[in-house]
Amino acid sequence: MESPARPALFDFHGVWMTCRYTGNWDALQTFQARPDDILIATYPKAGTTWVSYILDLLYFGHLSPERQKTVPITERVPFLEVTNPGLPIGTELAEKLLTTPRLIKTHLPVQFVPKSFWEHNCRMIYVARNAKDNMVSYFHFARMTDLLPEPGDWTCYFQSFLAGKVPFGSWFDHVNGWWRKRRTYPKLHFMFYEDLSEDTGREIDKLCSFLGLSPSAEEKTEVMSGVKFDSMRNNAMTNYSTYPLMKFDVSPFMRKGQVGDWKSHFTVAQDEEFDEDYKKKIDPTLHLRTEI
Ligand code: PPS
């Protein structure tokens, strides 16, 4: 597929967005959620695919081996707001999903989530990743796909990210917004990439308790093995190798999967500037770990 021109950023109700995520806005805002839908929400590059695949295996790992080999994660867990050129529209993919529950992915800031998800009191899972690693991962992703605006070099991207001038806006607003929502919306399970990396089994147990699932020990072992970084990197259904418009020679989708990779990117001066800004912007009750 021919690569489209990189989209421009624009201010969309106070959040920097591109037409790839706003192009279907009316249908998105009137999307009809079902009470048993599960919404997986994250800031981009915070572990969406990891948690999506955990949920997919927990619910549907027993379905046909054919499905496991032939249906990519992007079709099992549609990206609700996406409208990429030449590819299925997110809302339409979600409407056509045959699984129950439907697992749906979004990067929307909390204030943009279609209202029927709230009206139906749907379960939601938010994954947060520490801002430094999140920034590094987003930078490499922007380099490898023309679906995102040109990131510039690392120095330039560092400033854009701090200013929130990247698609889906400020990391701080996103994470703070979802974190605060959890105080008034009990059906929101908030989790951290770093916790998942530290102890995947423990985090799967917490997820199961939130979802009311009781996998057997054998099923849990299978999920744990399937969602390891190397397993997902080597699995064509989860490594995005079937998704067009990605330049894997520039950077793989499943890149490093580490906590603390930011240390190989941040200069000492950037680290100081970042920490100063972070203190001012982060919700003081929210604690993210930049190393484990
Ligand atoms: S996207 O495009 O927003 O949906 O990307 P997302 O899936 O949120 O984030 C991609 C990063 O998550 C890492 N990842 C994992 N890390 C550890 N273990 C597993 N199983 C795993 N699966 C995905 C992926 O490698 C990207 O992070 P980086 O730091 O770039 O490697």
Side-chain angles (χ1 to χ4, degrees):
M1 185 183 292
E2 197 183 323
S3 211
R6 284 181 179 264
L9 274 173
F10 52 88
D11 183 329
F12 187 75
H13 304 291
V15 179
W16 290 101
M17 292 289 264
T18 78
C19 59
R20 307 277 182 251
Y21 313 118
T22 61
N24 187 33
W25 201 251
D26 291 346
L28 174 69
Q29 287 304 309
T30 54
F31 179 79
Q32 288 307 301
R34 298 182 195 146
D36 53 5
D37 283 347
I38 300 173
L39 191 66
I40 301 164
T42 68
Y43 191 74
K45 312 319 287 182
T48 332
T49 315
W50 196 1
V51 171
S52 296
Y53 195 45
I54 291 174
L55 258 67
D56 179 74
L57 288 182
L58 282 170
Y59 279 105
F60 310 120
H62 62 283
L63 295 184
S64 74
E66 198 52 24
R67 178 181 189 272
Q68 301 310 331
K69 280 192 239 138
T70 58
V71 185
I73 194 74
T74 47
E75 287 172 33
R76 300 182 198 192
V77 185
F79 180 9
L80 191 62
E81 59 271 23
V82 87
T83 59
N84 281 332
L87 293 168
I89 291 176
T91 49
E92 292 176 7
L93 266 184
E95 273 152 13
K96 284 191 208 135
L97 260 188
L98 295 175
T99 53
T100 304
R102 297 188 299 188
L103 306 175
I104 299 175
K105 151 185 169 174
T106 186
H107 292 317
L108 291 171
V110 71
Q111 70 274 21
F112 289 166
V113 170
K115 71 174 184 312
S116 72
F117 283 98
W118 308 113
E119 287 167 353
H120 288 299
N121 204 22
C122 294
R123 276 175 299 200
M124 302 186 191
I125 295 163
Y126 187 83
V127 194
R129 184 178 194 181
N130 82 76
K132 293 180 182 178
D133 282 326
N134 207 147
M135 184 193 302
V136 169
S137 182
Y138 209 179
F139 170 63
H140 288 294
F141 189 55
R143 289 172 54 238
M144 68 85 91
T145 176
D146 290 341
L147 295 170
L148 292 174
E150 172 62 49
D153 65 10
W154 168 249
T155 311
C156 166
Y157 190 79
F158 176 87
Q159 294 302 339
S160 305
F161 187 95
L162 268 195
K165 215 169 166 186
V166 290
F168 297 100
S170 155
W171 176 94
F172 296 92
D173 291 346
H174 206 282
V175 174
N176 286 343
W178 276 96
W179 176 249
R180 288 170 189 152
K181 187 72 187 180
R182 154 196 146 276
R183 295 181 189 142
T184 53
Y185 190 78
K187 283 204 156 175
L188 170 57
H189 178 69
F190 203 97
M191 55 191 297
F192 298 93
Y193 181 101
E194 294 72 28
D195 290 351
L196 201 49
S197 189
E198 181 179 66
D199 190 338
T200 309
R202 179 191 65 205
E203 295 307 308
I204 290 179
D205 288 345
K206 286 194 214 161
L207 265 173
C208 287
S209 146
F210 171 69
L211 298 167
L213 296 175
S214 332
S216 65
E218 195 188 330
E219 283 165 339
K220 189 179 158 193
T221 306
E222 273 183 35
V223 175
M224 298 261 296
S225 148
V227 305
K228 284 203 172 94
F229 181 78
D230 285 343
S231 311
M232 285 183 63
R233 189 177 51 183
N234 294 326
N235 179 347
M237 296 302 107
T238 55
N239 66 14
Y240 273 70
S241 57
T242 61
Y243 200 81
L245 310 173
M246 309 230 152
K247 295 179 271 190
F248 287 89
D249 52 331
V250 175
S251 179
F253 182 90
M254 298 287 300
R255 195 183 55 88
K256 287 199 179 168
Q258 290 170 358
V259 178
D261 184 40
W262 62 271
K263 290 178 192 168
S264 62
H265 288 73
F266 279 52
T267 63
V268 173
Q270 283 174 335
D271 195 29
E272 283 170 10
E273 182 181 346
F274 181 92
D275 287 347
E276 203 48 47
D277 193 58
Y278 190 85
K279 272 188 268 168
K280 291 185 209 139
K281 293 180 180 165
I282 193 72
D283 184 305
T285 63
L286 186 48
H287 302 289
L288 287 123
R289 294 185 287 164
T290 53
E291 53 194 324
I292 51 174

